[in-house]
């Protein structure tokens, strides 16, 4: 036995002797919800003089074993409940179990999200997205990924497209508001994204900003049974920050690579002494250049929110988000026609100095929650979205320039010009009743609701397009070059056709990127056709609980109306309807472990133009999809660390393919089928009070199983990597000389992908490494984020080798924050 072993044995023996010398008493108990009688996990128990703390487990139970006999003042608190304080005598031989009942505060009774979330961690235990009412995520029979505002802040993020890299099975498709979930694409123009659980729309080109968001959630799989037509991969829900009943104020200023500068403010608190009126105001300003030539973003965001609580049973909330954006539209990187991905720098873009994209977006939300009794409530939410686009751009014509023989010129990309104005407006109303009752030992949570949504693209949208090649008289253009008719074209000194818009020279880009004189172009004017659709839906859902088993049964009936040739004499209504079931089950194996299974169906209406074209061969059924998913959700360390896994298969059918014949060029066939299956793992939360983590891995096999072109069958779907993995962790030093110092580290892996328009072209896999340093002293926090530390050249998506979307090279962001 060496001297170190003897020393350790001596220290251990001394420690045991000291423990035995103490007359420790036992203090244990259970904390419950006063109204429902259910145990409260994660409640905090604090004793004073001496100060000790404990946290209840999933059964609401706690135990303190190291208190000397005596009288103590104790405090019991839980988020959403009134804190209680009382004195208690603790005796050495007393084996009593104490029961404590906490009264819910108003914020604990939410069935629509009106009050803000007070936690300050990577963990969010509750969500409204999966069941139309506040539900524990571990009790939801479907996979949900999320990122809290704390994670967003720690990673220094400002775009939703960057946030989703933390989610299993989710990755970017392009630069834009455009992502892939489990192999299926969704984007801001698809009308299926959600804000506060309500349907909204954006302009597609710019990713939503994140400074006004409480969290970002993704409900995986078809969600039509809850929200109407949506992607079979899932829906993204952006939850805005809501007012708190306590005063919090913060300011942030940040500077970073590529002349990036931002200033953010977040103020919240009560506006009246009785806290019946609460407010929150988020303001953001961003002025950032880019690693991409000529690209920039200027954004002003104003996001006020007000909550009014006239009584214990009634709550109202008003939300608004206004974003004024000035930028250029980046259509991606082009490489030489020889297909060498590295033949041009990732900084090279097709834009010119007089291009611009100006956008204004507003979202106004009003919500009402009224409790008639403790078991019956009514909820209504309405959102109005407005979007305006003013665009002028030089972009690729999706082809290389050609010589007099019709052959590609290796270093020249054909260009075109778009000048466009359009607007879009969307309304969504959701109203539902929640009713809780029992039949014997079975607890029912019933939801009966109605949804209405409409979208209008009004009259006035139009576009000027300059493209093609100049005719021999220079009086107009010809759309495509035909070498057999070369005499019809204007030719240069080398015998090549002269384009309407000069081609982009990849080997000498500066001349192509300078100011261009649009007056020299021949423009064709086209109408951005006005459109209109609306939907009506009724749904019924029951969450049944008996013992350790919970069942979720839902049914939604939806009618969808689309007007083809809207605002013309040929206007015609096109109707579709669908009945969508949802079945799920959750079984609690132990306080830490739940297993679940679910089957859900979804749909996407076919477009009115396809359905109403008399030559298309319709009518056609909507796109139909379904998902079967099984999973495991666990909570550890008193619920502070969540681990989950899911296996799934998603099927979609009724995709339309062109099937022209000699007699009918417009004929369509509804033969397309797609299948996505895979497995996902997620971990999120706290390992220690000062050590947070989020990580995921996903394997996704997403293929077209039936289509018009046999070459595309059994090939991985576009921009859908087979494997992705993500990890981010932060550790803060809680005490000592360097108290307040923190460090963060993360990595992202994305597998190689097929491109969408040319699946013979691929982009390679990549692994990125990121890091961060934090230092907090009093009310001041200094933060530095360092991303893509190894300066890895990579691409986040693409259509083909003319439109590639490169990822950001090595970059940094320094942030100074102040809370008061």
């Amino acid at each position: 036995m060496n001297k170190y072993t003897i020393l350790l044995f001596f220290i251990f023996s001394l420690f045991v002797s000291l423990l035995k010398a103490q007359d420790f008493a036992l203090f244990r108990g259970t904390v419950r919800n006063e109204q429902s009688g259910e145990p409260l996990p994660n409640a905090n128990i604090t004793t004073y003089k001496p100060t000790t703390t404990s946290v209840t487990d999933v059964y609401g139970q706690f135990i303190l074993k190291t208190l000397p006999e005596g009288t103590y003042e104790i405090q019991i608190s839980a988020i959403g409940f009134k804190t209680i304080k009382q004195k208690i005598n603790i005796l050495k031989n007393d084996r009593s179990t104490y029961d404590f009942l906490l009264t819910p505060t108003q914020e604990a009774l939410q069935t629509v999200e009106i009050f803000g979330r007070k936690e300050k961690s990577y963990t969010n235990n509750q969500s409204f997205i999966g069941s139309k009412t506040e539900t524990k995520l571990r009790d939801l029979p479907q996979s949900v990924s999320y990122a809290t505002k704390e994670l967003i802040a720690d990673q220094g993020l400002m775009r939703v497209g960057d946030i989703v890299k933390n989610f299993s099975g989710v990755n970017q498709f392009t630069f834009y508001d455009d992502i892939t979930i489990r192999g299926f694409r969704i984007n801001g123009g698809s009308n299926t994204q959600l804000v506060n659980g309500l349907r909204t729309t954006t302009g597609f080109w710019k990713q939503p900003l994140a400074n006004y968001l409480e969290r970002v959630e993704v409900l995986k799989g078809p969600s039509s049974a809850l929200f109407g037509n949506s992607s079979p991969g899932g829906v993204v829900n952006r939850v805005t920050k809501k007012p708190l009943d306590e005063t919090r104020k913060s300011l942030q200023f940040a500077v970073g690579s590529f002349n990036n500068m931002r200033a953010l403010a977040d103020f919240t608190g009560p506006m009246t002494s009785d806290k019946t009126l609460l407010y929150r105001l988020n303001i953001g300003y961003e002025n950032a250049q880019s690693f991409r030539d000529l690209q920039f973003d200027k954004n002003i965001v104003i996001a006020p929110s007000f909550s009014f609580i006239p009584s214990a049973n009634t709550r109202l909330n008003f939300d608004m988000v206004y974003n004024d954006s000035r930028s250029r539209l980046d259509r991606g990187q082009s490489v030489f026609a020889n297909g060498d991905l590295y033949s041009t720098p990732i900084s090279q873009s097709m834009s010119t100095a007089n291009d611009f994209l100006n956008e204004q977006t507003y979202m106004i939300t009003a919500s009402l929650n009224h409790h008639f009794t403790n078991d019956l409530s009514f909820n209504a939410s309405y959102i109005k979205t407005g979007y305006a686009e003013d665009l002028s751009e030089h972009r690729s014509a999706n082809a290389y320039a050609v010589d007099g023989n019709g052959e590609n010129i290796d270093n020249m990309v054909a260009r075109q010009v778009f000048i466009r104005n359009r607007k879009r407006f969307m309304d969504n109303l959701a109203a539902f009743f929640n009713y809780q009752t029992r039949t014997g030992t079975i607890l029912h949570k019933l939801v009966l609701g109605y949804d209405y949504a409409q979208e209008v693209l009004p009259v006035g949208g139009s576009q000027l397009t300059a493209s093609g090649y100049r005719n021999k008289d220079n009086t107009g253009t010809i759309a495509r070059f035909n070498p057999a008719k070369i005499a019809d074209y204007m030719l240069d000194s080398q015998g090549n056709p002269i384009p309407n818009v000069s081609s982009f020279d990849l080997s000498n880009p500066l001349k192509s990127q300078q100011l261009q004189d649009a007056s020299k172009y021949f423009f064709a004017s086209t109408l951005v056709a006005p459109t209109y659709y609306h939907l009506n839906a009724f749904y019924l859902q029951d969450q049944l609980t008996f013992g350790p088993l919970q069942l979720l049964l839902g049914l939604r009936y939806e009618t969808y109306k689309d007007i083809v040739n809207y605002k013309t004499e040929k206007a015609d209504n096109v109707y579709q309807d669908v009945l969508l079931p949802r079945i799920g089950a959750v079984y609690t194996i132990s306080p830490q472990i739940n297993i679940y299974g679910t089957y859900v169906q979804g749909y996407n209406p076919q477009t009115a133009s396809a359905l109403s074209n008399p030559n298309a061969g319709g009518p056609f059924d909507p796109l139909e999809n379904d998902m079967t998913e099984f999973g495991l959700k666990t909570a550890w360390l008193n619920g502070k660390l969540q681990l989950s896994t899911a296996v799934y298969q998603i099927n979609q059918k009724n995709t339309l393919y062109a099937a022209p014949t000699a007699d009918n060029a417009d004929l369509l066939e509804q033969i397309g089928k797609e299948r996505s299956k895979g497995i996902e793992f997620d971990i999120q939360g706290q390992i220690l009070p000062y050590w947070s983590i989020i990580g995921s891995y996903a394997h996704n096999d997403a293929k077209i199983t039936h289509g018009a072109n046999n070459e595309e069958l059994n090939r991985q779907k576009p921009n859908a990597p087979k494997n992705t993995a993500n990890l981010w962790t932060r550790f803060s030093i809680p005490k000592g000389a360097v108290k307040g110092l923190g460090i963060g580290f993360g990595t992202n892996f994305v597998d190689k992908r097929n491109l969408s328009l040319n699946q013979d072209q691929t982009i390679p896999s990549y692994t990125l490494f990121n890091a961060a340093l934090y230092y907090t002293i009093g009310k001041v926090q200094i933060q530095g984020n360092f991303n893509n530390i190894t300066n890895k050249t990579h691409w986040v998506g693409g259509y083909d080798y003319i439109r590639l979307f490169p990822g950001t090279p090595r970059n940094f962001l320094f942030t100074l924050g102040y809370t008061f």
Side-chain angles (χ1 to χ4, degrees), residues 173 185 717-719 754-759 761 798-800:
F173 197 97
R185 183 183 183 186
K717 289 184 64 183
N719 280 317
N754 301 320
L755 300 182
S756 58
L757 297 183
N758 187 337
Q759 291 199 8
Q761 297 176 339
Y799 296 108
D800 51 28

Side-chain angles (χ1 to χ4, degrees), residues 239-308:
V239 181
T240 58
K241 294 176 180 176
K242 304 296 191 299
L244 300 177
D245 61 2
E246 59 185 46
T247 299
R248 292 185 188 177
K249 299 176 182 179
S250 66
L251 296 173
Q252 276 192 358
F253 301 93
V255 294
S257 300
F258 321 120
N259 299 310
N260 189 348
M261 189 275 284
R262 71 174 70 147
L264 309 175
D266 183 0
F267 307 129
T268 187
M271 298 181 70
T272 58
S273 58
D274 59 0
K275 299 185 179 181
T276 57
L277 184 61
L278 313 176
Y279 85 98
R280 191 154 194 167
L281 177 62
N282 277 266
I283 301 173
Y285 173 75
E286 178 186 44
N287 188 345
Q289 303 298 303
S290 169
F291 74 98
R292 303 273 297 147
D293 293 340
L294 294 167
Q295 300 305 312
F296 70 94
D297 258 308
K298 292 182 180 180
N299 288 282
I300 296 176
V301 180
I302 303 173
S305 179
F306 300 93
S307 291
F308 178 50

Side-chain angles (χ1 to χ4, degrees), residues 654-694:
N654 295 338
T655 306
L656 291 171
Y657 282 86
T661 65
D663 300 323
N664 186 358
D666 296 332
L667 189 65
L668 299 172
E669 284 185 294
Q670 197 164 28
I671 60 174
K673 293 182 180 179
E674 300 169 77
R675 186 264 300 141
S676 171
K677 62 181 181 180
I679 184 170
E680 297 171 347
F681 298 92
D682 291 271
I683 180 173
Q684 190 161 6
Q686 290 181 325
I687 298 174
L688 294 171
Y690 301 97
W691 184 8
S692 298
I693 187 171
I694 181 173

Side-chain angles (χ1 to χ4, degrees), residues 563-741:
I563 301 180
V564 66
N565 297 318
Y566 179 56
K567 290 291 184 178
T568 72
E569 294 179 355
K570 297 181 180 180
D572 188 24
N573 296 332
V574 178
Y575 295 95
Q576 299 172 70
D577 65 329
V578 66
L579 186 65
L580 300 167
R582 183 188 189 206
I583 303 169
V586 178
Y587 186 81
T588 301
I589 296 177
S590 73
Q592 293 82 26
I593 302 173
N594 282 5
I595 59 172
Y596 72 90
T598 192
Y599 174 79
V600 293
Q601 289 185 358
Y603 91 114
N604 286 99
Q606 302 286 5
T607 63
S609 58
L611 289 164
S612 62
N613 185 346
N615 300 319
F620 298 106
D621 294 326
L623 289 170
E624 298 176 9
N625 47 71
D626 64 77
M627 180 186 73
T628 303
E629 178 177 302
F630 296 95
L632 176 74
K633 297 184 180 183
T634 65
W636 305 96
L637 305 179
N638 291 316
K640 294 181 180 179
L641 185 66
Q642 301 168 355
L643 293 87
S644 63
T645 184
V647 293
Y648 62 88
Q649 177 162 317
I650 302 172
N651 305 295
Q652 179 162 272
K653 63 180 183 179
N654 295 338
T655 306
L656 291 171
Y657 282 86
T661 65
D663 300 323
N664 186 358
D666 296 332
L667 189 65
L668 299 172
E669 284 185 294
Q670 197 164 28
I671 60 174
K673 293 182 180 179
E674 300 169 77
R675 186 264 300 141
S676 171
K677 62 181 181 180
I679 184 170
E680 297 171 347
F681 298 92
D682 291 271
I683 180 173
Q684 190 161 6
Q686 290 181 325
I687 298 174
L688 294 171
Y690 301 97
W691 184 8
S692 298
I693 187 171
I694 181 173
S696 70
Y697 167 77
H699 174 77
N700 176 253
D701 182 17
K703 295 178 178 176
I704 298 172
T705 58
H706 198 281
N709 184 353
N710 288 332
E711 294 180 1
E712 67 187 5
L713 301 184
N714 297 314
R715 178 181 292 179
Q716 189 76 1
K717 289 184 64 183
N719 280 317
K722 277 195 172 182
N723 299 283
T724 58
N726 308 286
L727 177 68
W728 175 264
T729 185
R730 170 180 171 161
F731 182 80
S732 299
I733 299 173
K735 56 185 179 180
V738 289
K739 178 183 178 181
L741 182 66

